[in-house]
Amino acid sequence: MLKSLAYVPFLVSGLTFGAIAADKENSVMIPAFNAKYTILRKSKTMGEATRQLTYLANGFAQYSYRTDSEWLIFSDTRTENSIVKLEGSKVTPTSYEYKREGTGSDKYYKWRYDTVNNIAVDEKKDKTKTVNFPENIQDPLSYHLQHRLNLMSNPEQKKFTYPVIKTSGAIKDYIYQYDGEEELMLPYGLVKTIRLKREIIEKERITYAWFSPELDYLLVKLYQIKAGAEQFEAQLKSVAPINATEVTNKVVTQ
């Protein structure tokens, strides 16, 4: 597989027009939404991504992601699903599934988490692992949702740290820092943003993420470089709420 496509980020997305009710008894900070992004490399379109949040009949929420990318003769399709428990501005992951198909080796992971009893189940390998979960633990996808909620709750915060349980079962801190403000012209339109930066020194990788306060801190742009070379750019194309009648009634076994 082409090295530059080996890492396509898990895009953060959402749309908040104000608090809405997921049902008649429980209110949420982010309503169900569907957001689309254009993925570019060297200013040329190489694919698109879709981010979606829906509320399930069992009271949990499903946060999902999909990217479809093509570059020269290489192709890459990735899907992720995270089932989470939302309590106000706190996200707690309960299961995570990842699938990658395309040029090169395919990958598949499926985990289930019992954060109260410090248990993680690797459903692909049918193995149980004891994990000392920190209070604010996230999975590789759910932390994006937590990140947006944190920005909404505390827009003056300059540094964000997320302990993320990886597909290996190990926990690693993901750190983002405030990096300035900027006005952007995107396929979506003109938006004012704040920019955050995540740097992984040992991998020589830097990711910049732009969030729009006027869209309740929806992520509107991502840009990544590795060892000084551009890897990709993602720009918001559209975002829309999902009507209550469209919300899935699927009940996920926890």
Side-chain angles (χ1 to χ4, degrees):
M1 180 180 176
L2 183 66
K3 186 175 180 181
S4 63
L5 290 183
Y7 178 84
V8 177
F10 308 141
L11 306 179
V12 186
S13 58
L15 180 63
T16 302
F17 296 118
I20 67 164
D23 54 44
K24 292 183 179 180
E25 297 180 356
N26 300 307
S27 62
V28 296
M29 291 181 66
I30 300 178
F33 71 85
N34 183 282
K36 296 184 182 297
Y37 296 79
T38 298
I39 302 174
L40 306 105
R41 189 171 186 269
K42 296 182 178 180
S43 301
K44 294 183 179 180
T45 299
M46 58 179 281
E48 63 177 25
T50 300
R51 179 72 51 184
Q52 189 174 90
L53 175 69
T54 55
Y55 292 91
L56 308 177
N58 63 355
F60 289 79
Q62 178 173 282
Y63 195 45
S64 63
Y65 148 95
R66 178 183 174 92
T67 60
D68 291 284
S69 302
E70 292 186 3
W71 182 255
L72 301 177
I73 63 173
F74 301 93
S75 65
D76 185 281
T77 297
R78 304 185 185 208
T79 58
E80 288 184 280
N81 283 287
S82 183
I83 304 300
V84 303
K85 182 178 181 181
L86 281 171
E87 298 174 293
S89 60
K90 181 181 179 181
V91 178
T92 302
T94 66
S95 69
Y96 171 77
E97 185 173 13
Y98 171 90
K99 181 184 293 186
R100 185 268 169 195
E101 297 175 314
T103 307
S105 301
D106 293 345
K107 293 182 179 180
Y108 178 75
Y109 304 99
K110 188 175 182 181
W111 284 83
R112 179 164 42 87
Y113 311 113
D114 181 348
T115 56
V116 174
N117 295 303
N118 289 319
I119 294 173
V121 180
D122 184 340
E123 296 192 352
K124 178 185 175 182
K125 297 180 179 180
D126 193 24
K127 291 184 178 181
T128 298
K129 180 182 178 70
T130 299
V131 179
N132 185 20
F133 286 112
E135 176 66 23
N136 58 335
I137 187 67
Q138 299 298 322
D139 68 35
L141 181 61
S142 70
Y143 91 90
H144 294 288
L145 184 60
Q146 183 65 73
H147 191 48
R148 184 178 175 207
L149 286 167
N150 286 348
L151 285 166
M152 292 170 62
S153 300
N154 187 5
E156 301 302 319
Q157 190 170 340
K158 303 299 182 183
K159 184 176 180 179
F160 303 85
T161 302
Y162 304 99
V164 174
I165 183 165
K166 309 284 285 181
T167 53
S168 64
I171 296 176
K172 182 178 181 179
D173 283 345
Y174 286 18
I175 301 171
Y176 287 81
Q177 299 193 56
Y178 176 81
D179 195 53
E181 300 181 8
E182 190 174 355
E183 191 171 66
L184 300 176
M185 175 55 75
L186 304 170
Y188 174 84
L190 183 66
V191 291
K192 294 181 179 179
T193 70
I194 63 166
R195 183 177 62 249
L196 298 183
K197 176 182 178 181
R198 181 186 176 207
E199 183 173 9
I200 306 176
I201 296 175
E202 62 272 21
K203 293 185 178 180
E204 298 184 88
R205 189 167 70 209
I206 301 175
T207 301
Y208 295 95
W210 288 258
F211 300 85
S212 172
E214 62 195 69
L215 293 176
D216 289 331
Y217 294 93
L218 169 68
L219 180 136
V220 296
K221 180 181 175 180
L222 279 173
Y223 179 74
Q224 186 181 97
I225 57 176
K226 184 174 182 179
E230 176 187 338
Q231 298 294 290
F232 77 92
E233 182 176 348
Q235 298 183 358
L236 179 68
K237 182 168 57 175
S238 67
V239 59
I242 297 176
N243 295 328
T245 55
E246 297 178 81
V247 176
T248 178
N249 287 320
K250 177 182 177 183
V251 176
V252 179
T253 302
Q254 300 298 323

